[in-house]
Amino acid sequence: MKLIHLLLEEEKAIQFKKPDFAFEWEEAKRYPEFEAMGKEDWIKIAQKGFITKYSEIKDVLKNVDLDFKGLEEPKKDRFKSAIETGEIELPIAVKFSDQDYDLVAGNTRLSGLVALEMDPSLWIVNL
């Protein structure tokens, strides 16, 4: 991770991009609400989402494992490659209520960014 710290001396080096909702369908359909609506409607609803900082919802965000060191090596390697390119896709969370969020996709990205002592942005799908 020392290499990554050097790459991130300036936080502006990282560009966050909108998630690929079609690709993340496999993750989204684990939720009965999304599976029932189907892929096309998932994409439509997800595209209407908004961005917030992790720190704003971390106390009510479930389904998160921030143990980056404990992740499988291929996942960590993909994250490190993304950091080196300077482009990270936003993790996706679903908002069920003001006190109930769940991480849908991007646990590796989120845990890696938090391990780098960043307060990453997340894409929020509002139900």
Side-chain angles (χ1 to χ4, degrees):
M1 293 295 275
K2 289 180 182 178
L3 170 64
I4 292 173
H5 280 291
L6 292 174
L7 292 170
L8 291 178
E9 285 181 345
E10 296 183 37
E11 190 169 324
K12 65 182 180 181
I14 299 295
Q15 297 290 320
F16 291 94
K17 65 179 185 174
K18 196 172 181 179
D20 180 345
F21 302 113
F23 179 80
E24 298 295 3
W25 169 244
E26 292 301 314
E27 298 290 338
K29 72 180 185 179
R30 294 178 299 144
Y31 296 83
E33 299 87 346
F34 296 138
E35 186 174 31
M37 70 177 61
K39 185 177 181 177
E40 287 182 26
D41 286 341
W42 147 255
I43 292 170
K44 287 177 188 174
I45 288 174
Q47 288 176 334
K48 294 177 184 177
F50 61 95
I51 296 173
T52 195
K53 288 291 197 179
Y54 170 68
S55 60
E56 296 292 317
I57 64 168
K58 70 180 184 177
D59 293 334
V60 294
L61 180 63
K62 299 176 186 117
N63 193 34
V64 178
D65 177 5
L66 294 179
D67 179 20
F68 185 78
K69 289 182 180 181
L71 293 174
E72 301 165 0
E73 287 303 318
K75 290 182 177 185
K76 292 191 285 191
D77 290 342
R78 281 195 306 272
F79 174 76
K80 291 173 187 175
S81 293
I83 287 289
E84 289 172 359
T85 67
E87 191 170 84
I88 301 279
E89 189 174 299
L90 291 166
I92 302 171
V94 58
K95 178 182 178 182
F96 294 109
S97 74
D98 288 342
Q99 297 300 310
D100 187 12
Y101 289 73
D102 210 68
L103 188 65
V104 175
N107 189 79
T108 299
R109 287 168 269 161
L110 179 60
S111 64
L113 293 166
V114 170
L116 293 172
E117 300 178 1
M118 295 178 70
D119 182 15
S121 296
L122 290 93
W123 186 267
I124 308 299
V125 177
N126 195 3
L127 280 185

